[in-house]
Amino acid sequence: MEKTFNLSRREDGIAVLTMDVPGETMNTLRSEFGPEISEVLAEIKSDSSIKGLVLISGKQDSFVAGADISMLDACNTAEDAKFLSQQGHVVFNELENLSIPVVAAINGACLGGGLELALACHKRVCSLHPKTMMGLPEVQLGLLPGGGGTQRLPRLVGVTKALDMMLTGKQLRPKQAVKLGLVDDAVPESILLRTAVEMALVGKRPAKKKKQSIVNQVLEGTSAGRNIIFDQAAKQVAKKTQGNYPAPNKIIDCVRQGMTKGMIKGLEVEASHFAELVMSKESAALRSIFFATTEMKKETGAGDVEPRKVKKAMVLGGGLMGGGIASVTTTKAKIPARVKDINEAGLSNALAYAYKLLDKGVKRRHMTPAVRDNTMALMTTTTEYKGIKDADIVVEAVFEDLALKHQMVKDVERECGENTIFASNTSSLPISQIAEAASRPENVIGLHYFSPVEKMPLVEVIAHEKTSAETIATTVAFAKKQGKTPIVVQDGAGFYVNRILALYMNEAAQLLLEGQSVEHLDKALVKFGFPVGPMTLLDEVGIDVGAKISPILEKELGERFMAPAAFDKLLADDRKGRKNGKGFYIYGGKTKTKQVDETVYSVLGLKPGVDTEATEIAQRCVVQMLNEAVRCLDDGIIASARDGDIGAIFGIGFPPFLGGPFHYIDTLGAGNLVKMLENYQTRYGDRFEPAAKLKQMASEGTRFFNA
């Protein structure tokens, strides 16, 4: 059997331990490695000629990407999970307790268990390679660092910085890691091993203490000061998580107990808390999202069909969406993009938008001005169809007007190649209707981005019945290069995300008209776990956009999509939301806290009355979304419950700890959901009628996912 850990001895007395998991592109830590590492460490201890040890990876671009997460799914009890953590503690303690100096030479991803391994070494040096990143992202899976990270990191970089890293899961670049004191040095990859060997030869000299600000010295130097840090962290966590995620509080507790009662006690607490989190439903949901997105990365969206290579893209429309699409095409995908708009102002906007985003990177020192300027050079502009003959894909981001989109299809077919893909970023018009104007409908597809494009991870790739498999595969590959998670959905009004969102928003509007205050509505859904409330979202998207989409959905899908008449009153008062500084909230004020524009109530002829229980408000809005998600699956709009979960989480911020609409329905039980819907149907009408598939699942007692 091939070994993962190979020890080689140098003439200068330094041994190099290379980790290289056979048959894998990345190194991950697995429990079965325990005995092998212990054996190697025993060999090192017994050999007096070894004066120092360097730990390095045999993989090209990664040190250790973390622990193998599938190990956690194999845990049937908290005891199993606790054993995994304790096994890690034993091995890392053995490494740390070696009498010779141990240096980690880090190149590429060093995350989670990988960083915990490096922390157990006496010194760390990393390469300046662009792929070198260090972090403890366990919190993003509803977990905490279970290999001693909650104990070693605060002792190395200080409590405040350690908590910041563990509670956010943020990843550090080489220079940030040096500044923080996480690594001792950062050098070019070509001299990484040499530098590590030199550090090992110098011996176990104590690391230089990093300078701390006076405030931090006072706070971290005393137990009373540290308590202030822990209490502040707990307050911030409560505000951010609304009590929906247990991991952050447990991370704080591990650090608190370890710093108060010592390392042994800290490790004991870490193993117990880690075990509880592995068995929690929140972590199970977050891990299911991780596995789903990993699986999706391998799929083309069109079976075995290979995508064509996209060497040049064109974007029609230089507005907010067009500018964002062109920006992710050049910066993330590194594909030249030509933006066309009818006037120069639109083109200037698109360029300014892209420049501003890149310049942020320069200001934060993530890139040099030269890299920024070279990336900007990939974006060109035109007011006519020039320089686009060789475009492989054209993304259209113009107004929601069918006649205008028909004109665009004809223009592109006339000016571009016969294989050029025409991708429409429409948010509501069926793609088949747009393709009616095409002489090559097999090249027409929907590519629906969410705003703001550079931040929202999802895109919907919408195929109509004539779209070719090659067009689907090429579009999916293009979206992935832009850093997006694409889900392939079938054609239909509102596609998937906007269709389930529309009913949720409509219900929130109904509640508003029943006398709930704007603030109370938003707070109720943030408490439930959404990143923003429905009224804030409507202001962000644009009240006029919402009003435009509703009639299209109602016409195609029936009267349950009928928007409350309130929209007309808001638009008559020229309330479009943030874009014109007039919506449910006040914009442009000096205060940092968002304030409701109280005049909105008189426009709607309302007096906000008694606040209904927050859980009841959230439930009424959310069951509408769940019910419609089931209809979308039944109608074949989405291919699977998995795609539906990913679409809702990445497209509209459905609470990740619930695992997505379909996982959440399984948690509630189809029978319970049907009862809730029927109860609302009797009280508020047929818009709550349960989907046929839900009723069937309720009577058969079936689920979407295997338990």
Side-chain angles (χ1 to χ4, degrees):
M1 196 181 100
E2 279 188 89
K3 282 179 156 185
T4 296
F5 294 89
N6 293 293
L7 190 68
S8 64
R9 292 165 172 81
R10 293 164 50 101
E11 284 178 6
D12 55 12
I14 301 300
V16 178
L17 182 59
T18 306
M19 179 176 179
D20 197 342
V21 183
E24 299 288 338
T25 50
M26 296 273 233
N27 283 331
T28 55
L29 296 174
R30 298 176 192 163
S31 59
E32 63 263 31
F33 297 158
E36 195 187 329
I37 302 177
S38 294
E39 207 175 292
V40 174
L41 294 179
E43 186 187 332
I44 292 166
K45 274 184 203 162
S46 65
D47 186 343
S48 59
S49 71
I50 297 177
K51 303 281 183 282
L53 179 68
V54 169
L55 208 63
I56 200 163
S57 162
K59 302 291 180 204
Q60 184 93 45
D61 288 334
S62 81
F63 179 69
V64 181
D68 184 349
I69 295 162
S70 50
M71 280 192 311
L72 306 179
D73 283 6
C75 296
N76 295 317
T77 64
E79 280 308 307
D80 294 346
K82 191 171 183 178
F83 176 72
L84 278 181
S85 173
Q86 288 169 328
Q87 192 186 14
H89 291 167
V90 169
V91 173
F92 291 167
N93 284 345
E94 275 185 56
L95 185 67
E96 190 175 40
N97 292 330
L98 285 176
S99 56
I100 54 169
V102 183
V103 181
I106 301 164
N107 178 51
C110 173
L111 302 170
L115 183 56
E116 290 179 296
L117 170 65
L119 287 170
C121 299
H122 307 131
K123 296 264 176 85
R124 285 149 296 283
V125 56
C126 72
S127 76
L128 291 162
H129 193 285
K131 287 197 174 165
T132 300
M133 294 295 245
M134 286 147 278
L136 295 172
E138 287 86 348
V139 73
Q140 292 160 5
L141 293 175
L143 300 167
L144 54 75
T150 66
Q151 303 308 305
R152 290 192 178 93
L153 188 64
R155 285 170 172 79
L156 183 68
V157 302
V159 173
T160 315
K161 288 167 181 170
L163 283 175
D164 181 42
M165 274 180 75
M166 291 187 281
L167 294 174
T168 59
K170 66 162 74 160
Q171 296 179 15
L172 302 180
R173 293 159 193 268
K175 285 177 181 170
Q176 292 171 305
V178 174
K179 195 176 169 192
L180 199 71
L182 185 61
V183 296
D184 300 276
D185 203 356
V187 297
E189 190 191 346
S190 54
I191 59 163
L192 178 67
L193 181 59
R194 194 175 86 205
T195 310
V197 168
E198 283 165 7
M199 284 166 83
L201 285 167
V202 168
K204 275 187 180 181
R205 262 195 254 153
K208 280 191 297 234
K209 272 283 174 211
K210 285 283 154 190
K211 279 185 185 161
Q212 284 194 320
S213 67
I214 306 241
V215 176
N216 271 2
Q217 281 175 23
V218 171
L219 287 176
E220 301 206 0
T222 63
S223 60
R226 285 194 295 271
N227 281 337
I228 293 172
I229 297 173
F230 295 129
D231 293 345
Q232 275 304 105
K235 269 187 203 148
Q236 284 171 337
V237 160
K239 192 176 168 193
K240 201 162 182 199
T241 66
Q242 298 289 322
N244 290 319
Y245 295 84
N249 282 324
K250 289 202 183 307
I251 289 172
I252 295 169
D253 189 49
C254 288
V255 180
R256 189 192 282 258
Q257 298 229 41
M259 295 310 276
T260 316
K261 298 173 184 164
M263 182 97 167
I264 294 168
K265 177 66 179 170
L267 289 173
E268 197 184 298
V269 173
E270 180 185 272
S272 301
H273 282 347
F274 176 77
E276 282 169 44
L277 290 172
V278 169
M279 304 317 288
S280 71
K281 60 183 191 305
E282 292 86 358
S283 178
L286 293 166
R287 295 199 308 266
S288 77
I289 298 165
F290 172 80
F291 288 124
T293 48
T294 308
E295 216 173 79
M296 288 168 96
K297 279 178 188 154
K298 298 171 191 158
E299 297 169 358
T300 66
D304 299 332
V305 177
E306 283 297 310
R308 274 202 314 274
K309 202 163 168 47
V310 173
K311 298 192 192 83
K312 183 175 181 181
M314 180 183 184
V315 179
L316 299 177
L320 209 56
M321 292 305 280
I325 295 164
S327 174
V328 293
T329 306
T330 53
T331 49
K332 291 269 173 60
K334 307 279 186 275
I335 292 171
R338 193 152 177 80
V339 186
K340 179 189 177 294
D341 200 287
I342 46 173
N343 59 42
E344 292 290 348
L347 298 174
S348 305
N349 283 341
L351 288 168
Y353 190 81
Y355 185 85
K356 193 173 152 194
L357 290 174
L358 283 168
D359 203 41
K360 267 188 195 163
V362 174
K363 284 182 179 142
R364 291 179 183 156
R365 298 195 175 164
H366 293 169
M367 69 167 70
T368 61
V371 171
R372 174 198 62 203
D373 298 343
N374 288 341
T375 309
M376 276 308 294
L378 289 172
M379 194 185 292
T380 55
T381 59
T382 179
T383 52
E384 292 165 24
Y385 285 97
K386 283 188 177 159
I388 47 108
K389 273 263 179 288
D390 54 346
D392 300 296
I393 188 166
V394 174
V395 185
E396 164 276 302
V398 298
F399 297 115
E400 290 290 85
D401 180 313
L402 193 57
L404 179 61
K405 291 183 193 282
H406 279 168
Q407 185 57 51
M408 300 281 133
V409 173
K410 287 174 184 160
D411 290 347
V412 167
E413 288 197 327
R414 185 185 67 242
E415 301 287 345
C416 298
E418 57 180 318
N419 290 324
T420 301
I421 292 170
F422 182 90
S424 174
N425 173 51
T426 175
S427 52
S428 54
L429 294 167
I431 302 301
S432 56
Q433 289 180 19
I434 295 171
E436 280 165 8
S439 56
R440 294 190 286 269
E442 67 278 9
N443 292 345
V444 178
I445 196 164
L447 187 55
H448 179 213
Y449 295 84
F450 296 83
S451 185
V453 177
E454 69 281 1
K455 284 194 180 140
M456 296 299 278
L458 188 80
V459 289
E460 289 177 302
V461 175
I462 306 117
H464 63 104
E465 65 274 12
K466 290 180 183 163
T467 307
S468 72
E470 190 179 51
T471 297
I472 297 172
T474 306
T475 309
V476 166
F478 175 66
K480 283 181 183 168
K481 282 196 92 172
Q482 292 174 320
K484 301 295 169 198
T485 299
I487 60 166
V488 177
V489 300
Q490 291 309 308
D491 196 19
F495 318 123
Y496 170 64
V497 173
N498 278 348
R499 185 169 152 183
I500 65 170
L501 181 64
L503 289 187
Y504 162 88
M505 298 292 268
N506 278 357
E507 203 52 47
Q510 294 285 1
L511 281 153
L512 178 72
L513 297 179
E514 286 168 26
Q516 300 302 318
S517 70
V518 169
E519 219 165 356
H520 185 55
L521 268 169
D522 274 353
K523 275 186 179 156
L525 283 135
V526 167
K527 177 85 187 117
F528 181 79
F530 281 92
V532 294
M535 298 296 130
T536 301
L537 185 61
L538 199 49
D539 265 2
E540 292 293 336
V541 172
I543 298 168
D544 53 334
V545 176
K548 214 164 188 176
I549 292 173
S550 287
I552 299 173
L553 295 177
E554 191 187 340
K555 181 174 157 252
E556 301 281 335
L557 297 163
E559 63 183 47
R560 68 177 183 281
F561 280 91
M562 195 167 118
F567 276 127
D568 302 336
K569 291 180 180 172
L570 293 169
L571 292 176
D573 193 44
D574 193 33
R575 283 177 192 262
K576 292 178 182 169
R578 183 188 277 280
K579 69 170 103 172
N580 75 339
K582 204 172 170 192
F584 292 104
Y585 287 91
I586 294 170
Y587 295 97
K590 296 270 192 297
T591 56
K592 283 225 171 144
T593 51
K594 248 186 4 187
Q595 283 180 309
V596 175
D597 181 352
E598 299 288 339
T599 60
V600 79
Y601 299 121
S602 51
V603 171
L604 294 171
L606 291 175
K607 273 203 172 73
V610 192
D611 286 343
T612 303
E613 194 63 46
T615 45
E616 167 80 2
I617 287 176
Q619 192 180 74
R620 246 177 81 178
C621 296
V622 171
V623 295
Q624 283 279 30
M625 188 183 272
L626 302 178
N627 200 20
E628 200 57 34
V630 174
R631 286 201 186 96
C632 287
L633 182 61
D634 213 19
D635 293 348
I637 295 289
I638 43 176
S640 63
R642 177 205 73 178
D643 287 5
D645 280 347
I646 294 299
I649 289 167
F650 288 171
I652 43 188
F654 188 90
F657 71 94
L658 296 175
F662 294 96
H663 265 98
Y664 186 43
I665 294 170
D666 279 355
T667 306
L668 290 172
N672 288 331
L673 180 55
V674 167
K675 274 186 204 138
M676 279 183 224
L677 286 161
E678 284 172 343
N679 171 22
Y680 287 134
Q681 190 181 358
T682 17
R683 285 161 64 192
Y684 304 108
D686 287 343
R687 66 178 188 273
F688 283 100
E689 188 184 347
K693 185 175 174 68
L694 259 185
K695 288 182 179 168
Q696 182 195 339
M697 288 175 71
S699 66
E700 292 168 2
T702 49
R703 305 164 51 91
F704 289 109
F705 298 95
N706 298 326

